[in-house]
Amino acid sequence: MRTYRRSMPTTRPRPTTRRRLSTALLALGTAGALLLTGCGESGERGNSSSYDRGQADSRPDDGFPAPAPEGTGTGEQRGEQPDDESRDIAPSPDYLSTFALDVDTASYGYARRTLDDGSLPDPSTVRPEEFVNSFRQDYERPDGDGFSVTVDGARTHDENWSLVRVGLATRAAEGDSKRPPAALTFVIDVSGSMSEPGRLDLAQDALRTMTNRLRDDDSVAIVTFSDEAETVLPMTRLDDNRGEIRAAVDSLEPTDSTNLAAGVETGYETAVEGLRRGATNRVVLLSDALANTGSTDADTILERIAGERREHGITLFGVGVGSDYGDALMEQLADKGDGHTTYVSTEEEAEKVFCEELPRHVDLTARDAKAQVSFDPETVEEFRLIGYDNRQVADEDFRDDRVDGGEVGPGHMVTALYAVRTKSGAEGHLATATVRWLDPDSRTPHEESADMEASSLHGDLWASSPYGLRLAAVAAYFADSLRQSDARWSDLPGRPSIRELSYRADDLARDREDKDVYDLAEAIETADGMLG
């Protein structure tokens, strides 16, 4: 893959004459683990160019749209639900795709759990970007805070259709001893539905183990909720208090109904009361999200804590559990609450999230991160962003820093896949990918970009493309197969049969002896038996 340095435009591109939700304006989601595992192998990094606010009006007049100019924008926030046309191919003349970064992985975890239980997942719970970003990639990481940007692609078996991969990576996570202290407020669902095996008991086991592994200068608070919310443990430093924390965890018992709104509100109040300057303050919501008492709408719940979130920058991390799971509510809470969500169903998964990822990756390197991809109309006929239905951002809001983006930490790798139909015999520039973010402390904006030429497309996706691109393609096509019964989404170009996907996943797993990819192959094989 070759990438090319491109300076920022010198003239403003013409305004987009129409903006439809059918345009693929959706948001990136995080590869690896949700709270950013920092795993990955070194790979090729695209050349990039830095940006500061003083360069905003410098744009090349080269005949294709550049990232949208800085402006007031519409103030549209991410997290809107797609309409029935959200999966259509983007129409001319809109060659921009803009979205807030996303590192959620819950959709893939819940799909695997559902398949293991003998059922196909509801298509509405299948989010392709979360499938794609559940697997490690090999992007090179930047030396300091910020992002590296990688763009590559390969041709599918559908004529003139290719898959283009946009990869973003942050610096590797430092060792546990070098991270800032963590102040974690756990908001734990103890409603009656949490009595099912694999819910509250799973959380308690993981929290006990996590208590042993956190540093002495870390702090923990515990809030529980059923029909009402209660602060079981105020913000408490680990130090010599591990026994007290474990006792609080042991005391949790399921009862009554689910007033999730009260839990979130009390959790944020407790987090603010125990706020630690110089520490990473985070609320961790653990629930099956089956809210049935009090407010059950994400916007209403988040409005109650809007002041705490804005003033103190406390992000929300949602951990979903249970065979019957309120996926939509948990996703909306995390998306609009400047946070992330994951799903756990086994002791191994719970221990990984709570004991390895959460303590190591509580820091932030970027706030309100957005990406914008500009496709060249001289070489691109049409395109489609795969997934990110709830992460769309208006093109003109790319540089409006009042518009919400994604929060990203060290160790993140985020992948977005596009289906792109090139013009016959296309040569020259294909696309420019730009990521914009704010420094988490100073709120200073920064940008990095990378370009791709049509000649850089690998000749065949399955025969000559990089391992990571093939893995991302298998994950995306698998998600697409699980949504084929929903008429809102048309098939992705070049999608193999579910049986072929199973073979390809198995080959990829054997190539690297990767347990996560073996699990993917097993899930695809299970789905094959149900879809066939």
Side-chain angles (χ1 to χ4, degrees):
M1 177 199 73
R2 297 183 63 193
T3 55
Y4 297 81
R5 184 178 297 274
R6 177 170 297 280
S7 60
M8 300 307 294
T10 56
T11 62
R12 293 185 182 274
R14 68 175 178 223
T16 301
T17 59
R18 54 179 174 150
R19 178 182 178 274
R20 293 172 45 191
L21 287 179
S22 58
T23 307
L25 305 177
L26 312 161
L28 285 172
T30 124
L34 176 132
L35 281 180
L36 323 175
T37 58
C39 297
E41 304 166 50
S42 62
E44 191 170 0
R45 176 185 178 186
N47 292 340
S48 59
S49 58
S50 296
Y51 168 94
D52 60 38
R53 194 178 290 274
Q55 294 171 305
D57 293 326
S58 166
R59 296 179 174 82
D61 186 9
D62 51 9
F64 64 92
E70 183 175 0
T72 58
T74 64
E76 176 181 342
Q77 301 295 311
R78 65 176 172 151
E80 298 175 11
Q81 296 297 318
D83 64 12
D84 288 344
E85 295 183 320
S86 64
R87 305 303 288 158
D88 287 350
I89 299 301
S92 177
D94 189 351
Y95 284 83
L96 289 175
S97 175
T98 310
F99 41 85
L101 267 61
D102 180 21
V103 293
D104 293 351
T105 59
S107 176
Y108 173 68
Y110 186 47
R112 282 186 56 211
R113 166 65 183 266
T114 305
L115 289 166
D116 286 344
D117 287 346
S119 301
L120 289 170
D122 187 319
S124 68
T125 69
V126 176
R127 294 180 290 278
E129 74 277 12
E130 297 185 23
F131 280 55
V132 170
N133 284 294
S134 294
F135 302 96
R136 296 185 296 272
Q137 291 288 339
D138 55 0
Y139 311 129
E140 183 175 337
R141 297 185 183 277
D143 295 330
D145 287 347
F147 293 86
S148 64
V149 183
T150 301
V151 191
D152 64 1
R155 300 191 181 278
T156 73
H157 293 166
D158 274 16
E159 185 178 4
N160 292 332
W161 281 101
S162 300
L163 288 186
V164 171
R165 177 177 62 159
V166 177
L168 307 172
T170 60
R171 62 173 169 80
E174 297 179 318
D176 188 61
S177 62
K178 295 182 179 180
R179 66 167 171 81
L184 307 174
T185 301
F186 290 92
V187 179
I188 302 175
D189 187 346
V190 293
S191 63
S193 61
M194 292 293 288
S195 62
E196 176 191 297
R199 298 194 187 197
L200 182 57
D201 59 333
L202 195 70
Q204 287 176 299
D205 288 342
L207 288 170
R208 292 185 192 106
T209 305
M210 185 198 69
T211 299
N212 294 330
R213 297 189 183 182
L214 287 172
R215 295 186 335 212
D216 287 345
D217 61 344
D218 292 329
S219 300
V220 169
I222 297 177
V223 171
T224 61
F225 67 94
S226 53
D227 54 338
E228 296 180 347
E230 176 187 3
T231 299
V232 175
L233 181 77
M235 193 64 70
T236 303
R237 292 216 183 195
L238 272 294
D239 290 328
D240 298 323
N241 300 313
R242 297 177 196 272
E244 179 183 358
I245 296 170
R246 281 193 291 268
V249 172
D250 292 341
S251 71
L252 305 181
E253 294 183 355
T255 179
D256 299 328
S257 53
T258 309
N259 191 338
L260 191 147
V264 172
E265 187 172 4
T266 303
Y268 268 85
E269 290 173 355
T270 302
V272 172
E273 289 172 2
L275 191 74
R276 290 183 56 186
R277 303 295 177 186
T280 299
N281 296 270
R282 178 166 293 187
V283 170
V284 182
L285 171 64
L286 190 143
S287 175
D288 56 19
L290 300 175
N292 54 25
T293 303
S295 297
T296 59
D297 172 70
D299 287 328
T300 303
I301 294 171
L302 292 171
E303 182 59 32
R304 295 182 179 182
I305 59 171
E308 289 90 342
R309 290 192 297 117
R310 282 193 289 263
E311 181 178 354
H312 303 293
I314 301 173
T315 58
L316 177 67
F317 172 37
V319 181
V321 295
S323 56
D324 189 12
Y325 169 53
D327 170 80
L329 178 57
M330 185 69 90
E331 188 217 4
Q332 290 168 19
L333 284 170
D335 284 357
K336 300 179 182 181
D338 298 331
H340 317 121
T341 181
T342 191
Y343 177 88
V344 297
S345 61
T346 67
E347 291 184 11
E348 181 182 12
E349 292 170 351
E351 183 170 329
K352 181 179 180 181
V353 168
F354 285 104
C355 305
E356 299 177 20
E357 296 167 6
L358 183 57
R360 286 204 313 261
H361 304 294
V362 296
D363 200 8
L364 284 179
T365 57
R367 285 192 182 274
D368 290 323
K370 310 183 192 89
Q372 187 168 85
V373 181
S374 169
F375 291 96
D376 193 331
E378 297 299 316
T379 53
V380 173
E381 194 74 43
E382 50 190 338
F383 65 90
R384 169 180 171 184
L385 178 59
I386 301 172
Y388 303 103
D389 304 302
N390 298 333
R391 299 291 194 166
Q392 57 196 329
V393 174
D395 295 338
E396 62 269 23
D397 287 345
F398 179 57
R399 294 196 175 97
D400 185 347
D401 295 328
R402 298 168 302 176
V403 176
D404 198 18
E407 274 53 53
V408 183
H412 271 118
M413 284 191 175
V414 181
T415 300
L417 282 181
Y418 286 88
V420 178
R421 185 160 71 93
T422 56
K423 294 185 176 180
S424 181
E427 296 181 354
H429 179 265
L430 185 80
T432 298
T434 302
V435 58
R436 179 183 178 86
W437 72 96
L438 304 181
D439 181 274
D441 298 319
S442 68
R443 304 297 177 113
T444 303
H446 304 277
E447 290 186 12
E448 289 287 339
S449 296
D451 287 36
M452 181 180 180
E453 299 289 299
S455 59
S456 297
L457 287 170
H458 293 272
D460 182 87
L461 173 63
W462 305 114
S464 60
S465 69
Y467 177 91
L469 177 56
R470 283 179 281 140
L471 177 57
V474 168
Y477 281 134
F478 177 38
D480 196 58
S481 297
L482 294 175
R483 299 206 297 186
Q484 63 182 283
S485 63
D486 192 326
R488 289 180 299 169
W489 291 285
S490 57
D491 291 349
L492 282 176
R495 190 184 79 196
S497 69
I498 189 76
R499 180 67 52 85
E500 182 180 344
L501 283 177
S502 177
Y503 294 149
R504 294 202 180 279
D506 199 54
D507 287 343
L508 290 167
R510 288 200 304 269
D511 184 82
R512 300 286 175 92
E513 288 298 322
D514 190 321
K515 179 184 180 301
D516 291 338
V517 187
Y518 275 122
D519 289 342
L520 172 64
E522 182 179 352
I524 297 174
E525 183 178 5
T526 301
D528 180 26
M530 299 178 189
L531 291 170

